[in-house]
Amino acid sequence: MRFDVEGMDCGSCVGKIETALARLPGVADIRLNFATQQLDVALAPGAAIGADEIVQTIERLGFGAAVRPDEAAASEAEDGAQPQPQPAPPRWWQTRRGRQVLAPSGLMGAAYAVSLLVPVAAFWIFMLAVLIGVLPFVRQAWALARAGSPFSIETLMSAAALGALLIGEAAEAAAVVWLFSVGELLESVAADRARAGIRSLASLVPSTAIRLDAQGGQRTVPAAALRVDDRVLVRPGDRVPADGVILQGASSLDESPITGESIPRAKRAGDGVFAGSVNVEGVLQVRVSRAAADNTIARIIHLVEEAQASKAPTARFIERFSRGYTPAVMALAALVMLVPPLALGGDWPTWLYRGLALLLIACPCALVLSTPAAIASGLAAGTRHGLLVKGGHALETIGRVGVVVFDKTGTLTAGVPHVTDVLPVGDLPEHEVLALCAGLESGSSHPLAHALVAHARAAGVGVPAAAHASASAGRAVHAEIAGRRLALGSPGWAAEAAVLTAGTQARIDALQREGKTVSVLLDEEHREVLGLAAWRDEPRPDAQAGVAALQALGVEALMLTGDNPRTAQAIADPLGLAYQAELLPQDKLRLIDALRGRGRVAMVGDGINDAPALAAADVGIAMGGGTDVALETADAALLQDRVADVARLVALSRATLANIHQNVVFALGLKGVFLLTTLLGVTGLWMAVLADAGATALVTLNALRLLRFKGAGVSIPPAGRPVAGRPPSAGRPAPCPAPQKLHPGG
């Protein structure tokens, strides 16, 4: 069962609800997400408890709860039905916390006014204000104690306020109640601000769409009613209502809400589009490829919610620490109240007052919130920039890696071969050699063939028709063009089919040393070489800059590939990378294990053929472009397919870790200062309340600073610029254990 929970303002609220629900018979598992205020409860088979009992239990603790509508049922909107407008978020004075502030504020004002007019009645007026103001907190403290949380902040505050009344400090007790209510309201506002990131993601998808029928008629329908294969019209300025493929039209689309890329991307028929992207100029017809609950935005939101729900190692440690911290400080408060008067002849009212102030300092809210607030902000900041991290554990670990291992194809390179050279051999001009090569490959589905035909068309070279085409598997393609029997094949096949001169062989060897795949164009009838064509999967434009940025952060970069050493060296040398070549999947796993001696290891791959290595590394990072594999494989995904984003991810993790450490220092340091000043009698009850609220506010505001993260500290030079201090030949085999047996063909 899934519920929406309202009123959770800090991490300790999660613990209160989890403790209460765990005591209910039949509850098997509880997952409560502070950031999204969503609760998932799994019941044991045959459990008699229902949703109503769960809601009542949560409400008795002072929180709001409601059964969450089934997402699948919610998307079953009728055609043409207008979506219900979402209610505006309540103003602060309309919330439960707001009402709890307004009531004590009125009582405090009235009490001070009456005390000025009738001084003799001041004590009784303030006592009445305290009793009325503290009553909701006493009820909540009693419910929490019965539910298994006796050391709640409500218990501590109630005891302090009522204790202050007993020793005659009615005015200060009233100030405690009022300040505590204000502090709770400020926590609520700050927590709501931290949750705004998820709401802004959800609002990217428009609520309506223009659906086209078979005759081209237009009808406005809820976006949730769209089904796979529906056709929708997207006008200039509209947001795309669903993931899909363009059927008609061409335009530029602003995909920054999804990928973080600020420059609109040109799209035409056949290209995919993301829900939530903005159509900049042209009119598009789009075929829906994913239902609303499964579009890219929905999946990103789901993964971010899951990531925020998973607790980071530091958060788990702090929760364990806080469970002992609160009882320890309460025990100290009891000793402060009793030992000086009993053993040292101290004044009872003075030491009772100081002990009550210590009770307020015992609240662990700021400490418990220190890590999840920073993790939630870090995850949200990463998502804004196309850096999708799956949980606090991964976000913490990425900043501690010492080695980043890159796959080559599809990671450091684009994974798409490009024609780099077309060289005539003999009397034919270059454009004719290109035309004949493209004609031979025009009927092939091989990626090299597609690249060659595309290159010819981009160069304005006509592709001649080929007849009687055939292929020698893995060796050559054959066809007749303009009455000539031609072939395009590998250098090995060409050496058997014709005589390669020393000059031609030297040119082939030079191209292969550059890591290029070479094909030879032959006139089969005359056994004559007409030209050479070369391809290479080129490094991504930002690969060199991204590797340099990692090295500037003190992280070692290494390339592992199954390709041959010449190709590996041709890619690694300009990037300044160490490398190992001709590796089988099991060789990569062995090397990753060996590299752990240098620290934690991150593996960056394309999320498909690198799955074993991604799983074996301490952190797996997928280059994904928003694909299923990128979102579902590994611990993090780079939605923009940029090598430089690996360095940004490391910088984000380190910024988050630094923020966590700052928060812990704020939380413990501020309480430590007030603990000392309270024992010395310098500060009293109302300052203790300010210390608790102030620490929580500082922690929350400091965590929110991460939302402004833009890769600070990561200097990424323009693509293609040489890496400072590294000559182009700086690439070298990695100094790590070599596999005992290598696959000879890569």
Side-chain angles (χ1 to χ4, degrees):
M1 293 182 289
R2 174 163 286 186
F3 302 84
D4 288 322
V5 180
E6 295 180 1
M8 292 192 298
D9 302 327
C10 69
S12 63
C13 297
V14 174
K16 296 171 185 175
I17 297 173
E18 288 178 340
T19 300
L21 294 181
R23 296 162 67 97
L24 295 178
V27 173
D29 187 40
I30 303 164
R31 288 176 59 87
L32 182 55
N33 189 336
F34 166 74
T36 62
Q37 303 191 97
Q38 289 183 6
L39 167 68
D40 291 321
V41 178
L43 301 182
I49 192 172
D52 290 342
E53 289 88 344
I54 293 174
V55 169
Q56 290 170 8
T57 300
I58 296 172
E59 289 179 341
R60 278 197 297 269
L61 302 180
F63 304 96
V67 178
R68 188 176 181 84
D70 180 70
E71 295 176 2
S75 67
E76 295 290 336
E78 296 182 2
D79 292 353
Q82 294 301 316
Q84 295 296 321
Q86 294 295 321
R91 303 289 186 178
W92 68 266
W93 59 82
Q94 297 172 321
T95 64
R96 181 175 61 90
R97 298 293 191 196
R99 291 191 295 270
Q100 286 181 345
V101 167
L102 292 176
S105 297
L107 291 170
M108 283 284 290
Y112 275 111
V114 171
S115 66
L116 292 175
L117 297 174
V118 189
V120 295
F123 176 83
W124 302 103
I125 296 297
F126 278 117
M127 183 178 72
L128 181 63
V130 170
L131 293 176
I132 295 175
V134 83
L135 183 59
F137 299 111
V138 171
R139 288 175 177 170
Q140 190 174 1
W142 175 246
L144 287 167
R146 293 182 60 191
S149 300
F151 302 120
S152 65
I153 179 58
E154 289 80 9
T155 300
L156 302 177
M157 193 278 297
S158 300
L162 295 175
L165 280 182
L166 292 176
I167 61 175
E169 298 287 347
E172 193 156 4
V176 165
V177 175
W178 181 76
L179 286 172
F180 180 78
S181 301
V182 172
E184 292 279 284
L185 175 63
L186 293 177
E187 285 184 15
S188 177
V189 172
D192 190 65
R193 175 69 182 86
R195 296 181 180 113
I198 290 291
R199 291 199 299 269
S200 65
L201 272 178
S203 66
L204 292 175
V205 180
S207 58
T208 61
I210 301 175
R211 185 164 61 190
L212 301 175
D213 58 27
Q215 292 73 38
Q218 302 178 11
R219 189 174 188 181
T220 300
V221 299
L226 294 176
R227 299 290 177 265
V228 175
D229 291 332
D230 280 355
R231 287 191 305 143
V232 295
L233 183 70
V234 185
R235 301 164 301 191
D238 286 352
R239 287 191 182 274
V240 178
D243 285 5
V245 178
I246 297 175
L247 296 176
Q248 292 182 24
S251 182
S252 295
L253 281 93
D254 177 7
E255 297 180 341
S256 58
I258 299 96
T259 66
E261 178 58 56
S262 59
I263 300 174
R265 182 172 296 182
K267 301 272 187 174
R268 59 183 181 181
D271 290 338
V273 293
F274 297 126
S277 54
V278 180
N279 183 16
V280 177
E281 48 202 16
V283 177
L284 301 176
Q285 287 190 24
V286 175
R287 178 181 62 80
V288 176
S289 60
R290 292 183 183 275
D294 195 36
N295 65 40
T296 300
I297 291 286
R299 286 182 292 144
I300 290 176
I301 290 173
H302 175 71
L303 288 170
V304 172
E305 290 175 351
E306 290 293 312
Q308 292 178 338
S310 67
K311 294 178 180 177
T314 305
R316 289 195 292 267
F317 169 76
I318 287 178
E319 284 185 4
R320 291 194 300 270
F321 174 79
S322 66
R323 282 196 289 268
Y325 164 84
T326 302
V329 177
M330 291 185 70
L332 177 62
L335 291 175
V336 168
M337 292 179 188
L338 299 174
V339 172
L342 294 176
L344 304 175
D347 181 52
W348 277 101
T350 299
W351 290 102
L352 284 174
Y353 180 86
R354 294 179 183 180
L356 292 173
L358 282 182
L359 284 180
L360 296 175
I361 296 174
C363 173
C365 283
L367 183 63
V368 173
L369 188 61
S370 60
T371 298
I375 292 293
S377 294
L379 293 172
T383 302
R384 289 182 180 180
H385 295 284
L387 313 175
L388 189 62
V389 186
K390 296 184 178 180
H393 182 273
L395 187 60
E396 283 194 19
T397 305
I398 289 168
R400 298 188 173 110
V401 298
V403 183
V404 172
V405 175
F406 289 94
D407 176 52
K408 179 180 74 69
T409 305
T411 303
L412 288 171
T413 67
V416 179
H418 296 277
V419 176
T420 58
D421 303 271
V422 177
L423 304 177
V425 177
D427 298 331
L428 290 180
E430 180 180 332
H431 70 86
E432 191 169 340
V433 172
L434 176 57
L436 294 176
C437 291
L440 285 165
E441 294 281 23
S442 60
S444 173
S445 61
H446 195 280
L448 297 181
H450 285 308
L452 189 55
V453 173
H455 182 72
R457 289 174 176 163
V461 174
V463 179
H468 309 296
S470 63
S472 302
R475 292 169 62 81
V477 293
H478 315 266
E480 285 186 13
I481 298 178
R484 301 173 68 182
R485 185 69 183 173
L486 303 174
L488 186 67
S490 67
W493 170 85
E496 298 173 4
V499 177
L500 301 182
T501 65
T504 300
Q505 187 62 55
R507 296 171 83 176
I508 292 172
D509 291 342
L511 291 170
Q512 290 181 329
R513 280 195 298 273
E514 295 173 3
K516 298 173 182 177
T517 300
V518 182
S519 291
V520 182
L521 175 66
L522 287 182
D523 183 326
E524 288 196 279
E525 185 177 351
H526 298 96
R527 298 169 61 85
E528 177 187 1
V529 178
L530 302 178
L532 305 175
W535 295 260
R536 191 168 73 173
D537 183 9
E538 294 293 305
R540 294 182 184 273
D542 72 324
Q544 187 182 54
V547 171
L550 271 176
Q551 293 166 342
L553 289 170
V555 179
E556 183 181 352
L558 171 68
M559 184 181 78
L560 303 182
T561 179
D563 218 329
N564 64 75
R566 285 191 298 188
T567 301
Q569 185 176 7
I571 297 296
D573 274 358
L575 303 181
L577 268 176
Y579 67 90
Q580 283 282 358
E582 292 188 332
L583 300 178
L584 293 171
Q586 57 265 35
D587 298 326
K588 292 183 180 181
L589 295 180
R590 186 160 55 249
L591 287 173
I592 286 174
D593 286 336
L595 288 169
R596 284 203 173 92
R598 306 182 196 175
R600 290 183 173 89
V601 180
M603 171 71 190
V604 187
D606 62 10
I608 301 173
N609 57 352
D610 298 310
L614 289 170
D618 294 293
V619 180
I621 303 172
M623 304 282 280
T627 62
D628 286 340
V629 171
L631 295 176
E632 296 168 9
T633 306
D635 303 296
L638 310 180
L639 300 186
Q640 294 185 46
D641 281 340
R642 295 192 310 205
V643 178
D645 279 347
V646 179
R648 289 191 177 94
L649 197 55
V650 173
L652 173 63
S653 174
R654 291 182 179 180
T656 304
L657 289 170
N659 196 282
I660 290 172
H661 297 154
Q662 293 162 5
N663 284 348
V664 172
V665 170
F666 286 154
L668 291 179
L670 198 58
K671 286 185 178 291
V673 168
F674 279 93
L675 179 67
L676 180 61
T677 57
T678 299
L679 288 174
L680 296 175
V682 177
T683 56
L685 286 174
W686 67 274
M687 285 299 293
V689 175
L690 281 181
D692 174 62
T696 303
L698 278 175
V699 163
T700 304
L701 293 173
N702 188 51
L704 291 177
R705 290 191 309 111
L706 285 170
L707 295 176
R708 300 197 300 268
F709 174 84
K710 298 192 182 296
V714 180
S715 177
I716 300 179
R721 180 174 163 187
V723 180
R726 277 189 187 272
S729 60
R732 62 215 181 275
C736 56
Q740 297 299 314
K741 186 175 181 180
L742 297 178
H743 184 58

